[in-house]
Amino acid sequence: MLVGQRDAKPHNLIRVNPDLQAFAEAARGFMPPDEGIALYEAAIETVADPNVAGPMLEVGSYCGKSSVYIGAAAKTAGRVLFAVDHHRGSEENQAGWEHHEPDLVDQDLGKMDTLPIFRRTIHDAGLEGTVIATVADSPTLGPVWTTPLSLLFIDGGHGEEPARLDYESWTPHVAPGGTLCIHDVFPDPADGGRPPYEQIYLPAIESGLFTETRQVGSLRVLRRSS
Ligand code: SAH
Ligand code: MG
């Protein structure tokens, strides 16, 4: 289907500048290179559509890796990316869990704090004018947000409740014709946790408002009907 059509395009038309690509690959975080490039390409295609205006927003920035991929694309079109994260880590980032990185704990507070590394990543990528750090609890901010989004990327808490709340509070803000990207979508439970699939991907498809345009690894790219 559409996946094949996309792949038939000359790939290098929308390549990240090689320095920034190498930088993004080296940045800390959880975004495999091919999925990061697909995210970048989804953002480039979004800004290429003159009918889809508005900023981009990601839920779950961690140390800024995905922010660099999306921000690089936003910058080419003079758009901005709101990078929403409370910077206290998801459940799976806490001590004792699989994705814990002990040096990211604020020793005074005994809590995770990824904001300093995030700021450094965005600074070093030359994206301080493009990526707007938004330190917030996602389901608290989403319902009071009012600006339509050209692109929404959801990669926040992966538990059932956090995933459901991110779907409910953010997907209504995707502009007609805009893009919804979802990370860590695993239809087969053997590959990973189910909530992003069950609480975000499936409801988006079942709403009839979104159509899938691409899959790369656990990344899904959907387009909202216009
Ligand atoms: N996109 C990142 C990885 C994100 S990890 C990358 O490319 O590396 C998930 C992030 O979601 C964590 O940083 C965590 O702090 C954030 N998060 C989890 N629940 C959240 C919530 N309720 N509000 C804001 N951020 C949240
Ligand atoms: Mg992820």
mmCIF file of all heavy atoms in Angstrom, residues 157-181:
data_model
loop_
_atom_site.group_PDB
_atom_site.id
_atom_site.type_symbol
_atom_site.label_atom_id
_atom_site.label_comp_id
_atom_site.label_asym_id
_atom_site.label_seq_id
_atom_site.Cartn_x
_atom_site.Cartn_y
_atom_site.Cartn_z
ATOM 1 N N GLY A 157 4.691 8.244 28.509
ATOM 2 C CA GLY A 157 4.541 7.084 29.376
ATOM 3 C C GLY A 157 3.895 5.933 28.624
ATOM 4 O O GLY A 157 2.965 6.135 27.851
ATOM 5 N N HIS A 158 4.421 4.728 28.837
ATOM 6 C CA HIS A 158 3.967 3.578 28.066
ATOM 7 C C HIS A 158 3.060 2.639 28.839
ATOM 8 O O HIS A 158 2.725 1.563 28.377
ATOM 9 C CB HIS A 158 5.171 2.801 27.517
ATOM 10 C CG HIS A 158 5.856 3.529 26.389
ATOM 11 N ND1 HIS A 158 5.403 4.715 25.893
ATOM 12 C CD2 HIS A 158 6.965 3.213 25.670
ATOM 13 C CE1 HIS A 158 6.196 5.116 24.907
ATOM 14 N NE2 HIS A 158 7.159 4.227 24.761
ATOM 15 N N GLY A 159 2.645 3.055 30.056
ATOM 16 C CA GLY A 159 1.647 2.274 30.794
ATOM 17 C C GLY A 159 0.278 2.483 30.151
ATOM 18 O O GLY A 159 0.107 3.349 29.286
ATOM 19 N N GLU A 160 -0.695 1.683 30.587
ATOM 20 C CA GLU A 160 -2.014 1.743 29.973
ATOM 21 C C GLU A 160 -2.689 3.108 30.161
ATOM 22 O O GLU A 160 -3.161 3.726 29.206
ATOM 23 C CB GLU A 160 -2.891 0.652 30.600
ATOM 24 C CG GLU A 160 -4.015 0.214 29.704
ATOM 25 C CD GLU A 160 -4.533 -1.149 30.116
ATOM 26 O OE1 GLU A 160 -3.763 -2.128 30.028
ATOM 27 O OE2 GLU A 160 -5.700 -1.191 30.534
ATOM 28 N N GLU A 161 -2.670 3.577 31.402
ATOM 29 C CA GLU A 161 -3.310 4.854 31.725
ATOM 30 C C GLU A 161 -2.597 6.045 31.050
ATOM 31 O O GLU A 161 -3.246 6.860 30.390
ATOM 32 C CB GLU A 161 -3.351 5.004 33.260
ATOM 33 C CG GLU A 161 -3.891 6.319 33.767
ATOM 34 C CD GLU A 161 -5.412 6.341 33.846
ATOM 35 O OE1 GLU A 161 -6.047 5.430 33.280
ATOM 36 O OE2 GLU A 161 -5.944 7.289 34.448
ATOM 37 N N PRO A 162 -1.259 6.151 31.177
ATOM 38 C CA PRO A 162 -0.579 7.263 30.497
ATOM 39 C C PRO A 162 -0.812 7.268 28.984
ATOM 40 O O PRO A 162 -1.040 8.319 28.387
ATOM 41 C CB PRO A 162 0.913 7.026 30.798
ATOM 42 C CG PRO A 162 0.937 6.201 32.028
ATOM 43 C CD PRO A 162 -0.311 5.364 32.016
ATOM 44 N N ALA A 163 -0.795 6.101 28.358
ATOM 45 C CA ALA A 163 -0.986 6.040 26.903
ATOM 46 C C ALA A 163 -2.408 6.486 26.537
ATOM 47 O O ALA A 163 -2.612 7.270 25.608
ATOM 48 C CB ALA A 163 -0.724 4.619 26.394
ATOM 49 N N ARG A 164 -3.399 6.035 27.312
ATOM 50 C CA ARG A 164 -4.785 6.415 27.051
ATOM 51 C C ARG A 164 -4.968 7.926 27.217
ATOM 52 O O ARG A 164 -5.599 8.592 26.396
ATOM 53 C CB ARG A 164 -5.720 5.663 28.005
ATOM 54 C CG ARG A 164 -7.204 5.887 27.734
ATOM 55 C CD ARG A 164 -8.089 5.089 28.712
ATOM 56 N NE ARG A 164 -7.866 5.467 30.112
ATOM 57 C CZ ARG A 164 -8.344 6.573 30.670
ATOM 58 N NH1 ARG A 164 -9.074 7.415 29.968
ATOM 59 N NH2 ARG A 164 -8.098 6.837 31.942
ATOM 60 N N LEU A 165 -4.362 8.465 28.278
ATOM 61 C CA LEU A 165 -4.494 9.914 28.525
ATOM 62 C C LEU A 165 -3.806 10.725 27.430
ATOM 63 O O LEU A 165 -4.311 11.775 27.030
ATOM 64 C CB LEU A 165 -3.918 10.275 29.901
ATOM 65 C CG LEU A 165 -4.741 9.787 31.097
ATOM 66 C CD1 LEU A 165 -4.002 10.056 32.411
ATOM 67 C CD2 LEU A 165 -6.116 10.464 31.123
ATOM 68 N N ASP A 166 -2.661 10.239 26.946
ATOM 69 C CA ASP A 166 -1.989 10.975 25.868
ATOM 70 C C ASP A 166 -2.840 10.962 24.599
ATOM 71 O O ASP A 166 -2.939 11.963 23.899
ATOM 72 C CB ASP A 166 -0.598 10.376 25.580
ATOM 73 C CG ASP A 166 0.440 10.848 26.588
ATOM 74 O OD1 ASP A 166 0.187 11.854 27.288
ATOM 75 O OD2 ASP A 166 1.516 10.216 26.670
ATOM 76 N N TYR A 167 -3.473 9.832 24.331
ATOM 77 C CA TYR A 167 -4.351 9.771 23.155
ATOM 78 C C TYR A 167 -5.499 10.774 23.308
ATOM 79 O O TYR A 167 -5.760 11.584 22.416
ATOM 80 C CB TYR A 167 -4.923 8.359 22.971
ATOM 81 C CG TYR A 167 -5.929 8.303 21.841
ATOM 82 C CD1 TYR A 167 -5.489 8.272 20.524
ATOM 83 C CD2 TYR A 167 -7.302 8.329 22.086
ATOM 84 C CE1 TYR A 167 -6.406 8.263 19.471
ATOM 85 C CE2 TYR A 167 -8.214 8.328 21.045
ATOM 86 C CZ TYR A 167 -7.756 8.291 19.749
ATOM 87 O OH TYR A 167 -8.649 8.297 18.700
ATOM 88 N N GLU A 168 -6.144 10.731 24.471
ATOM 89 C CA GLU A 168 -7.323 11.584 24.677
ATOM 90 C C GLU A 168 -6.980 13.067 24.721
ATOM 91 O O GLU A 168 -7.718 13.900 24.218
ATOM 92 C CB GLU A 168 -8.021 11.211 25.998
ATOM 93 C CG GLU A 168 -8.807 9.925 25.880
ATOM 94 C CD GLU A 168 -9.378 9.469 27.222
ATOM 95 O OE1 GLU A 168 -9.249 10.199 28.228
ATOM 96 O OE2 GLU A 168 -9.940 8.358 27.257
ATOM 97 N N SER A 169 -5.842 13.385 25.338
ATOM 98 C CA SER A 169 -5.580 14.810 25.535
ATOM 99 C C SER A 169 -4.883 15.471 24.352
ATOM 100 O O SER A 169 -4.965 16.679 24.201
ATOM 101 C CB SER A 169 -4.821 15.067 26.839
ATOM 102 O OG SER A 169 -3.804 14.151 27.058
ATOM 103 N N TRP A 170 -4.225 14.702 23.502
ATOM 104 C CA TRP A 170 -3.453 15.352 22.421
ATOM 105 C C TRP A 170 -3.969 15.126 21.005
ATOM 106 O O TRP A 170 -3.882 16.028 20.174
ATOM 107 C CB TRP A 170 -1.973 14.932 22.500
ATOM 108 C CG TRP A 170 -1.286 15.566 23.651
ATOM 109 C CD1 TRP A 170 -0.882 14.966 24.815
ATOM 110 C CD2 TRP A 170 -0.930 16.950 23.801
ATOM 111 N NE1 TRP A 170 -0.314 15.886 25.655
ATOM 112 C CE2 TRP A 170 -0.330 17.108 25.055
ATOM 113 C CE3 TRP A 170 -1.072 18.082 22.973
ATOM 114 C CZ2 TRP A 170 0.145 18.341 25.517
ATOM 115 C CZ3 TRP A 170 -0.601 19.307 23.436
ATOM 116 C CH2 TRP A 170 -0.009 19.433 24.685
ATOM 117 N N THR A 171 -4.481 13.925 20.696
ATOM 118 C CA THR A 171 -4.812 13.684 19.275
ATOM 119 C C THR A 171 -5.889 14.634 18.718
ATOM 120 O O THR A 171 -5.863 14.926 17.525
ATOM 121 C CB THR A 171 -5.216 12.218 19.000
ATOM 122 O OG1 THR A 171 -6.273 11.850 19.885
ATOM 123 C CG2 THR A 171 -4.042 11.280 19.202
ATOM 124 N N PRO A 172 -6.825 15.170 19.566
ATOM 125 C CA PRO A 172 -7.790 16.127 18.989
ATOM 126 C C PRO A 172 -7.119 17.390 18.447
ATOM 127 O O PRO A 172 -7.732 18.132 17.683
ATOM 128 C CB PRO A 172 -8.701 16.467 20.179
ATOM 129 C CG PRO A 172 -8.580 15.312 21.111
ATOM 130 C CD PRO A 172 -7.156 14.856 20.969
ATOM 131 N N HIS A 173 -5.866 17.633 18.838
ATOM 132 C CA HIS A 173 -5.185 18.858 18.397
ATOM 133 C C HIS A 173 -4.491 18.715 17.047
ATOM 134 O O HIS A 173 -3.934 19.690 16.536
ATOM 135 C CB HIS A 173 -4.168 19.300 19.451
ATOM 136 C CG HIS A 173 -4.789 19.626 20.777
ATOM 137 N ND1 HIS A 173 -5.758 20.592 20.931
ATOM 138 C CD2 HIS A 173 -4.605 19.094 22.019
ATOM 139 C CE1 HIS A 173 -6.132 20.660 22.205
ATOM 140 N NE2 HIS A 173 -5.451 19.743 22.878
ATOM 141 N N VAL A 174 -4.461 17.522 16.487
ATOM 142 C CA VAL A 174 -3.820 17.366 15.173
ATOM 143 C C VAL A 174 -4.691 18.047 14.112
ATOM 144 O O VAL A 174 -5.883 17.769 13.996
ATOM 145 C CB VAL A 174 -3.618 15.872 14.818
ATOM 146 C CG1 VAL A 174 -2.986 15.737 13.432
ATOM 147 C CG2 VAL A 174 -2.763 15.175 15.870
ATOM 148 N N ALA A 175 -4.082 18.956 13.360
ATOM 149 C CA ALA A 175 -4.819 19.710 12.342
ATOM 150 C C ALA A 175 -5.293 18.786 11.222
ATOM 151 O O ALA A 175 -4.668 17.749 10.961
ATOM 152 C CB ALA A 175 -3.907 20.792 11.758
ATOM 153 N N PRO A 176 -6.382 19.146 10.539
ATOM 154 C CA PRO A 176 -6.786 18.378 9.358
ATOM 155 C C PRO A 176 -5.615 18.292 8.370
ATOM 156 O O PRO A 176 -4.955 19.301 8.113
ATOM 157 C CB PRO A 176 -7.944 19.207 8.780
ATOM 158 C CG PRO A 176 -8.481 19.975 9.951
ATOM 159 C CD PRO A 176 -7.290 20.266 10.821
ATOM 160 N N GLY A 177 -5.352 17.094 7.884
ATOM 161 C CA GLY A 177 -4.214 16.893 6.980
ATOM 162 C C GLY A 177 -2.894 16.742 7.712
ATOM 163 O O GLY A 177 -1.861 16.471 7.093
ATOM 164 N N GLY A 178 -2.915 16.917 9.032
ATOM 165 C CA GLY A 178 -1.688 16.831 9.831
ATOM 166 C C GLY A 178 -1.268 15.390 10.101
ATOM 167 O O GLY A 178 -1.947 14.439 9.712
ATOM 168 N N THR A 179 -0.132 15.264 10.776
ATOM 169 C CA THR A 179 0.517 13.970 10.956
ATOM 170 C C THR A 179 0.518 13.553 12.424
ATOM 171 O O THR A 179 0.787 14.370 13.301
ATOM 172 C CB THR A 179 1.974 14.068 10.462
ATOM 173 O OG1 THR A 179 1.963 14.539 9.114
ATOM 174 C CG2 THR A 179 2.678 12.718 10.513
ATOM 175 N N LEU A 180 0.221 12.279 12.658
ATOM 176 C CA LEU A 180 0.325 11.700 14.004
ATOM 177 C C LEU A 180 1.347 10.575 13.948
ATOM 178 O O LEU A 180 1.181 9.618 13.192
ATOM 179 C CB LEU A 180 -1.039 11.140 14.454
ATOM 180 C CG LEU A 180 -1.037 10.279 15.726
ATOM 181 C CD1 LEU A 180 -0.592 11.080 16.949
ATOM 182 C CD2 LEU A 180 -2.434 9.686 15.980
ATOM 183 N N CYS A 181 2.425 10.705 14.711
ATOM 184 C CA CYS A 181 3.431 9.640 14.792
ATOM 185 C C CYS A 181 3.357 9.027 16.187
ATOM 186 O O CYS A 181 3.219 9.741 17.184
ATOM 187 C CB CYS A 181 4.826 10.194 14.566
ATOM 188 S SG CYS A 181 5.042 10.975 12.953
#
